[in-house]
Amino acid sequence: MSIAVLGAGAFGSALAVALATRGPVTLWGRSTGWGRENPRLPGVTLPDAVTVTGDLPQATRADTLLLALPAQKLGAFLADHAAHLDGKTLVSTAKGIDLTRLTGPSRLIASACPAATVAVLTGPSFAADIARGLPTALTLACADPGRGKALQHALSTPVLRLYRSSDVTGAELGGALKNVIAIAAGTVMGAGLGDSARAAIITRGFAEMTRLSARLGARPETLTGLSGLGDLMLTCSSVQSRNFRFGHAIGSGSDFDSGTTVEGAATARAVTRLAAELDEELPIAAMVARLAQGAVSVENAMEHLMNRPLKEE
Ligand SMILES: NC(=O)C1=CN([C@@H]2O[C@H](COP(=O)(O)OP(=O)(O)OC[C@H]3O[C@@H](n4cnc5c(N)ncnc54)[C@H](O)[C@@H]3O)[C@@H](O)[C@H]2O)C=CC1
Ligand SMILES: O=C(CO)COP(=O)(O)O
């Protein structure tokens, strides 16, 4: 299997570093003038086995392409480059729901590249941890069991352990939705509301994740696996998370660099629209969407969430 990573941000670069321990990897990016150290992944020098290129036709000669682009950029990228991508094995790492089409990456890929094999690589993994070779376990989801197994073996390393799933919908929803809840958890901590409030928001957030995912056809056990609960735990508890830090800035009234990729902000809006279409109530996600747009104060958001009608758990 020949492998290229498309998207030379923090995660694409980290995956290239990890997979280069197994063999040659091509890393494609729009702007690659930074040489062997990507500013999005500071302190990491790309090994010789990684070929960095800005030439998409060259990169897409590989049969397996890992798409490491932000979710809101993926649709346009696929539309622009479908001729180079269709027919390949396309593995998405994006953790978000497209705001205009209200679908996850797998359906975006399938509609733009109908002859491609679609897979999703997701789970608890900070780019910096993967690049440093720290032990990490992820989910590789592919509807085709044979192809899924081949990918699982080709993309695993001694420190990057992939578990296989055929539930692509569940795997990608877990990764997208946990980012929304991480913003909520960050907000709680930034506002100084305490560890107990964070535990409450994570737990009730997880209830929203499982409810929406079930409506969209995900398997419950996928949500309790690495791609759901696993990534939720990581992202809601670490300042390494950009979604958590974004929420923390909202909660503490601090500035936040708008150039940072924060998937949960647009995904909260997408989820709110999706929930309305499905007549499903997701109060935390709805509040995150409003907080992220500055449409509600933290105080009013918390008051609203705490004073909803009392209900059964
Ligand atoms: N950073 C992390 O620890 C992890 C990130 N992810 C996911 O991976 C995805 C990418 O995230 P990061 O690499 O961290 O973001 P990043 O912000 O570090 O990099 C994004 C990259 O995408 C490129 N890009 C944006 N639009 C593009 C386009 N139209 N064509 C070509 N390139 C384009 C940018 O130039 C940039 O290099 C996100 O969905 C994120 O949730 C998943 C696991 C871990
Ligand atoms: O998805 C991630 C870890 O699994 C990275 O989270 P952030 O995008 O919040 O940094």
Side-chain angles (χ1 to χ4, degrees), residues 134 154 170 196 198 210 223 236 239 270 292 304:
L134 300 180
S196 304
R198 170 166 56 179
T210 49
L223 270 292
C236 291
V239 290
H304 174 84

Side-chain angles (χ1 to χ4, degrees), residues 11 93 95 122-127 138 175 178-179 182 230-232 234-235 238-245 260-264:
F11 200 53
T93 72
K95 293 179 178 174
T122 186
S125 54
F126 287 126
L138 298 179
K178 66 85 189 174
N179 279 333
D231 212 353
L232 183 70
L234 178 74
T235 319
S238 171
V239 290
Q240 272 197 77
S241 160
R242 297 163 297 190
N243 286 282
F244 182 88
R245 286 203 308 272
T260 306
T261 298
V262 177
E263 292 282 31

Side-chain angles (χ1 to χ4, degrees), residues 110-309:
S111 68
C113 302
T117 299
V118 184
V120 163
L121 180 61
T122 186
S125 54
F126 287 126
D129 293 349
I130 288 193
R132 286 172 61 204
L134 300 180
T136 312
L138 298 179
T139 301
L140 184 284
C142 182
D144 174 338
R147 199 65 201 145
K149 199 165 193 177
L151 283 168
Q152 177 188 29
H153 285 270
L155 302 177
S156 288
T157 78
V159 287
L160 184 62
R161 180 174 168 79
L162 303 194
Y163 287 80
R164 195 172 65 249
S165 168
S166 57
D167 183 8
V168 175
T169 301
E172 71 180 5
L173 280 172
L177 299 176
K178 66 85 189 174
N179 279 333
V180 176
I181 307 307
I183 294 177
T187 305
V188 163
M189 297 313 281
L193 302 180
D195 291 336
S196 304
R198 170 166 56 179
I201 210 107
I202 293 172
T203 311
R204 295 309 307 164
F206 184 61
E208 292 188 14
M209 288 171 63
T210 49
R211 264 203 324 273
L212 180 65
S213 300
R215 289 292 304 275
L216 295 171
R219 286 185 219 134
E221 64 268 26
T222 310
L223 270 292
T224 54
L226 290 163
S227 55
L229 189 55
D231 212 353
L232 183 70
M233 283 172 62
L234 178 74
T235 319
C236 291
S237 64
S238 171
V239 290
Q240 272 197 77
S241 160
R242 297 163 297 190
N243 286 282
F244 182 88
R245 286 203 308 272
F246 175 63
H248 198 282
I250 293 173
S252 60
S254 316
D255 289 338
F256 190 82
D257 175 4
S258 61
T260 306
T261 298
V262 177
E263 292 282 31
T267 294
R269 291 163 63 197
V271 162
T272 305
R273 289 183 201 168
L274 208 46
E277 278 182 10
L278 297 169
D279 202 18
E280 191 68 62
E281 220 187 342
L282 303 178
I284 297 173
M287 208 45 83
V288 169
R290 295 182 66 198
L291 282 166
Q293 294 175 96
V296 64
S297 69
V298 175
E299 200 183 7
N300 286 346
M302 290 307 155
E303 195 182 312
H304 174 84
L305 288 174
M306 291 304 287
N307 289 299
R308 297 176 62 250

